[in-house]
Each structure stands twice: as C-alpha cells, then as structure tokens.
Amino acid sequence: MCSHLRPSLPHLLSLRLLGTMASRTVAVKQPDLLSATLAFEDPSAFRVKTWGELLRALGVFRLCSFPVLVNNCGKLMSIARTLLGRRGFSLLLRPTVYAQFVAGEDEGEISQSMEKMSLLGLRPMLAVPIEEDLGESTGEKRYDDNMEAMLECVRMSHSNAWSTDPMMQLKITALLSPELCVKLTTLIARQPYDLNLLVRAMNGEAISFPGLDESEVAHFLCGLRRLNKIAEASVNKVRVLVDAEYTYMNPALSLVTMAMMKKFNKDGAWIWNTYQCYLKESRTLLLEALQLAKTEGFCLGVKLVRGAYMDKESKLAEKEGRPDPIHRCWEDTNVSYNGSMDVMLDHVSQKPERYRIIVASHNEESVRHAVKRMEELGIDKDGGSVCFGQLLGMCDHVSLTLAKEGYAVYKSVPYGSVDDTLPYLVRRAQENRTVLQGIRKERDLLRKELYRRLRLRKARGTSVNFAAEPQTLT
C-alpha cells in the first residue's frame, strides 16, 4: 500500500530557454471574464489522486490543523523516534507525513514521483534539504559534501525528462557558514564590496576581503568556489533559485547571489534571488536589484515569496531593541507582495528575455492578481518568463487548477531519507504553521471528492480499491 501513496502532486509546466525565447502576443481578456475555475472552488481538481492519496492528505492535513501538534512537532517526533526506534519511526513516517511532503529517497523513488507530476502538467523544483543557522557550522568537509549533493541535484534535474526547463533550490548556508554571512552583512553595511571582487574570487584569484581575518578569507574563498562549481554545472541546463533566509544574513546572501548573476546571467536568468515580501524593505531591495541588473548588464530572475521566518524575526528585533522588520499586519504584506509582483510583471512585459519571476505563493488572491495582470499586459501564460510555485504536498487545488488552465506551475520538491529530511520538515512546518493551520479549504475540497467517490461506488455497488489509478486531468 505504501508504494501507492507516493505523492501525486502538480508538476510545473516547462519554461522555454531564455536565450531563445521571444515575447508572444495573446488576446487580452477583460478582467471580469477571468476563468471561473480560478476561484479554486472545484473539487474535481483532485480526481487525479488515488484513494490512498486522498485519505493520506486528509489525515495529514487534519493533524496539521492542531496548533499544539505543529508548534511542537520537533519534540513530538523526537519522542516518537526514541520510543519506536529508528526503523519503527521510519515505518510510521514514510507512508504518512514523509510521503505527503517528500518525493523519495533515491533517484528511482524520485523519478516515480516526478513522472506522476509530469502527467498532471506540473514540474518539479528539486530542493536538497540542507541548511544551517548560527551555531550549526560543521567545517569545510561537510560543506564540500553538501556541494556534491547540490551537483547531484543539478545532474538529476537536467538528465531526467521531468522538465524541459528544470529548476532547483539552493541555500547558501549549506555551502558557507552562517557566522561568516552575519559578519559579511555587518561589514557591507559600512562599506559595500565590489561585485567584481567576488567574481574574481570565483574565478580562482586569491582575493583579500577587507574586514575578514585570514581564516575567514580562506573559508569565504572556498565557499565562493563551491558556489561557482554549482553555477558552472547548471548554466544553460538548470535554473538555480537561491533562497533567502534571516535578515541578519540576507544582505550577504544577496551579495553572493548578485555576484553569481553578474558572472552567469549575461544571456539568460540561470541564477535567481528570493525576495521576502513580509519585510518592510522588500520593495526597496527589489528595485535596487532591478537597477543593479540594468547597470551591470545581467538578466534578473526573481522568486517572490511572502516569507517564513516571521516569528523569529519579530522576537529577535524586540530582544535587540530595534524596529520590527516585518510588516505590521497580513494586509500590509499582501499589498507588499502584489505591488512587488506588479513591478516585476511590468518589466517582464517589456523585456521577457531579460526578466523572469516565479510567483511562489499559496495565496489565492495573489495568484488571481498575477493571472489578471498577465492578461492585461499580454504576457503569455506559458511563454517562459512567468511561472507559479507551491510546496509539494500543499495547495494542490491551486497548482492543479493552474496547470489545467495552461499556466507554468512548479512544486518545491525536497528529497532524501527520513533522517535527512526530518529537520527540514520540522523547520518548514514551524515556519509555515499559519499556512498549515489554514488549509481548511483544501481539506474541504478533498473531502468533497472523497464523498463523491463513495457515492459513486455505492451506486455501482463496488468496493474501494485504494491503489486505483487516478483519473486524467481533463
């Protein structure tokens, strides 16, 4: 039964290579004639799921609706692992939470999940579940091992037929210590580093960086060369989306990412940066990036998110006696997100070969806003410069509906063993607990589809086959 509970989540529609892509004109619909299906109220989107997948999703989402479980999931999983042992714990998680949110452990399992997504018109954005925070640094050997894992992710993303324009996610703190990123953030606030300095370091030059001691310079050079190897392997093959993290290190992460863009994004957006719209400064940062891309002559890829570190950022700001960097309310964040999205869509409509954006959001209103603006601006829904993204195992009613309507949709797809992915799953659950606790609509749609099938089975007088193949998405 476990083998039939592999994720059946939407796969992202392919984006054509930026260097060969041309802007296409489409008939512009009137705003009030937007497809009624984008109300995301139709449970038929879930007809592509097997019985087992429906029941698993309903069970997992029901558990996620309890704040006490989500807020304490790390402790609860630790207790369960102690009581059940490593093997017993794995047997518990694999067909449930793991199968809902993780693609698999090895390439065979991952391929099975990705092929199923491909049949649904969706594409994977593979994510190696490796990251570090302050106090978790592990040394150059571990960072080199992480680099090899990232290079393997590039290889898998490119060599398989899951996507004609594959994407993957990358966390810089898997390759460069958080402590150094924090120090760099402090240093560049006083005196910004020249991007050319970092590019020269990526090319192998022995550069000395102001403000860093000898060991820090050595580690920074190693980190930049690791990133350079990944970028060299991915350019013209896989688009690398660099994740944002905490505000106390984000400026350093952006500095490194912009240097990678300067070197590798001359003819296409192969390296992307992430902008967290729950931050008050997010619009300013995006506008600065657009200006820098224009000045330095590189293409800009933008992953637009609301953000996932809200509680920690606010508590840290309060503890340090500085203003909260987070918008004061959800509505302000929505305004920030939609406004930044409009800025990028305007640029895409004018120069689709130079700018790209992934609308990475579970928010239905923002998705509809993006669709509306795309139609108003004449941006082709599958032209390559605009796509949508959601997490594997969540928001399938949005992902599947968008794919059915012909939009490019990616799923963020973590993979690895239960042991490797557990810290990642715990962090994502705690960071996204508001989203997890607010998935009532998706749960209701899943329940409606389940009841529809039960009524149909009853009318036919047949029994339930949990391994039954899903219906096609038509």
Side-chain angles (χ1 to χ4, degrees):
M1 179 176 174
C2 296
S3 64
H4 295 291
L5 296 182
R6 302 300 321 151
S8 144
L9 298 171
H11 173 289
L12 296 171
L13 300 175
S14 35
L15 305 178
R16 294 177 180 82
L17 295 181
L18 233 164
T20 61
M21 186 193 69
S23 177
R24 288 182 280 174
T25 303
V26 296
V28 179
K29 299 179 186 178
Q30 295 301 315
D32 59 345
L33 297 181
L34 285 175
S35 173
T37 58
L38 294 185
F40 306 113
E41 301 282 356
D42 187 3
S44 67
F46 293 119
R47 292 184 184 181
V48 298
K49 289 184 176 291
T50 65
W51 280 92
E53 289 165 345
L54 274 178
L55 293 172
R56 183 192 66 213
L58 279 167
V60 170
F61 289 167
R62 179 58 179 164
L63 291 175
C64 291
S65 67
F66 295 103
V68 66
L69 295 181
V70 176
N71 295 340
N72 297 284
C73 61
K75 296 177 182 177
L76 293 172
M77 287 188 180
S78 179
I79 293 171
R81 184 170 178 172
T82 300
L83 294 175
L84 299 174
R86 181 176 178 179
R87 179 175 174 77
F89 182 69
S90 180
L91 290 173
L92 172 66
L93 244 64
R94 261 191 165 273
T96 54
V97 175
Y98 178 93
Q100 182 69 20
F101 299 117
V102 181
E105 182 169 353
D106 54 40
E107 190 166 353
E109 291 182 357
I110 298 166
S111 293
Q112 183 181 359
S113 298
M114 299 306 96
E115 287 165 7
K116 185 174 287 188
M117 288 173 63
S118 296
L119 293 174
L120 304 178
L122 301 158
R123 293 181 179 257
M125 177 166 54
L126 294 185
V128 182
I130 306 171
E131 62 187 321
E132 288 185 357
D133 197 0
L134 293 174
E136 299 175 356
S137 298
T138 48
E140 298 296 344
K141 174 62 168 63
R142 178 60 182 272
Y143 291 128
D144 285 341
D145 291 342
N146 291 347
M147 178 189 69
E148 293 301 325
M150 302 276 184
L151 290 171
E152 176 64 11
C153 184
V154 173
R155 185 199 65 77
M156 277 199 297
S157 298
H158 175 64
S159 62
N160 289 283
W162 307 328
S163 170
T164 57
D165 192 13
M167 291 182 174
M168 63 173 280
Q169 292 172 245
L170 180 147
K171 284 191 177 288
I172 288 178
T173 54
L175 305 162
L176 197 62
S177 80
E179 285 78 12
L180 180 59
C181 292
V182 171
K183 183 167 183 178
L184 285 169
T185 294
T186 302
L187 291 174
I188 61 179
R190 302 174 192 153
Q191 181 61 50
Y193 283 179
D194 188 341
L195 290 184
N196 291 313
L197 202 63
L198 278 75
V199 171
R200 287 166 54 198
M202 288 180 187
N203 291 335
E205 289 189 40
I207 302 296
S208 179
F209 293 93
L212 300 182
D213 63 32
E214 187 175 338
S215 64
E216 290 168 336
V217 168
H219 175 55
F220 194 25
L221 291 174
C222 287
L224 289 172
R225 288 163 193 167
R226 280 187 283 263
L227 288 160
N228 188 70
K229 285 184 181 179
I230 294 169
E232 285 182 336
S234 62
V235 71
N236 296 320
K237 296 177 182 177
V238 181
R239 303 191 190 277
V240 177
L241 279 59
V242 178
D243 284 330
E245 300 184 45
Y246 296 102
T247 52
Y248 50 73
M249 64 175 77
N250 275 345
L253 306 184
S254 290
L255 171 72
V256 172
T257 305
M258 291 299 167
M260 294 170 70
M261 285 188 184
K262 180 177 173 63
K263 181 176 179 180
F264 295 102
N265 281 13
K266 294 296 184 182
D267 301 314
W270 296 103
I271 308 298
W272 298 34
N273 200 17
T274 299
Y275 295 88
Q276 301 159 305
C277 292
Y278 69 174
L279 296 177
K280 295 173 182 176
E281 65 175 358
S282 58
R283 183 79 60 84
T284 299
L285 295 175
L286 178 60
L287 293 173
E288 288 175 352
L290 287 164
Q291 183 59 48
L292 185 62
K294 182 179 179 180
T295 302
E296 297 287 348
F298 59 76
C299 301
L300 182 67
V302 168
K303 177 184 174 185
L304 202 65
V305 302
R306 275 174 169 74
Y309 306 110
M310 181 171 62
D311 287 350
K312 182 170 181 177
E313 293 283 11
S314 296
K315 289 177 181 176
L316 186 61
E318 183 179 3
K319 180 180 178 181
E320 295 178 353
R322 55 182 173 83
D324 192 338
I326 308 297
H327 282 296
R328 64 179 181 83
C329 62
W330 179 252
E331 289 74 19
D332 287 352
T333 296
N334 290 340
V335 170
S336 171
Y337 190 94
N338 293 342
S340 294
M341 181 166 56
D342 286 342
V343 169
M344 280 305 301
L345 291 176
D346 286 341
H347 279 75
V348 167
S349 68
Q350 296 167 28
K351 292 186 177 181
E353 73 282 359
R354 304 295 295 175
Y355 302 101
R356 286 189 174 228
I357 179 176
I358 179 168
V359 180
S361 177
H362 292 192
N363 183 282
E364 295 175 13
E365 191 276 327
S366 288
V367 170
R368 282 191 290 269
H369 182 88
V371 168
K372 176 182 176 182
R373 287 297 295 152
M374 288 173 69
E375 292 179 334
E376 292 172 347
L377 294 168
I379 299 173
D380 190 351
K381 61 174 66 175
D382 190 21
S385 290
V386 181
C387 57
F388 296 85
Q390 288 89 36
L391 296 173
L392 181 69
M394 294 177 63
C395 210
D396 287 357
H397 63 299
V398 172
S399 304
L400 289 167
T401 301
L402 284 171
K404 185 178 178 181
E405 290 295 300
Y407 292 91
V409 185
Y410 284 80
K411 282 290 194 179
S412 175
V413 179
Y415 63 90
S417 67
V418 171
D419 287 341
D420 289 339
T421 57
L422 183 58
Y424 175 90
L425 290 174
V426 169
R427 280 188 174 178
R428 297 295 86 79
Q430 293 172 341
E431 292 159 4
N432 294 284
R433 60 180 177 272
T434 302
V435 176
L436 284 169
Q437 293 163 18
I439 52 181
R440 180 176 299 176
K441 180 176 181 178
E442 187 170 2
R443 213 167 66 230
D444 290 344
L445 292 174
L446 284 163
R447 193 178 292 116
K448 286 180 181 179
E449 171 59 16
L450 180 65
Y451 292 161
R452 184 195 67 81
R453 293 190 192 185
L454 290 172
R455 288 193 298 269
L456 188 60
R457 292 285 178 179
K458 183 177 181 181
R460 292 176 177 174
T462 56
S463 60
V464 174
N465 179 3
F466 289 98
E469 288 301 312
Q471 300 179 29
T472 56
L473 188 63
T474 57

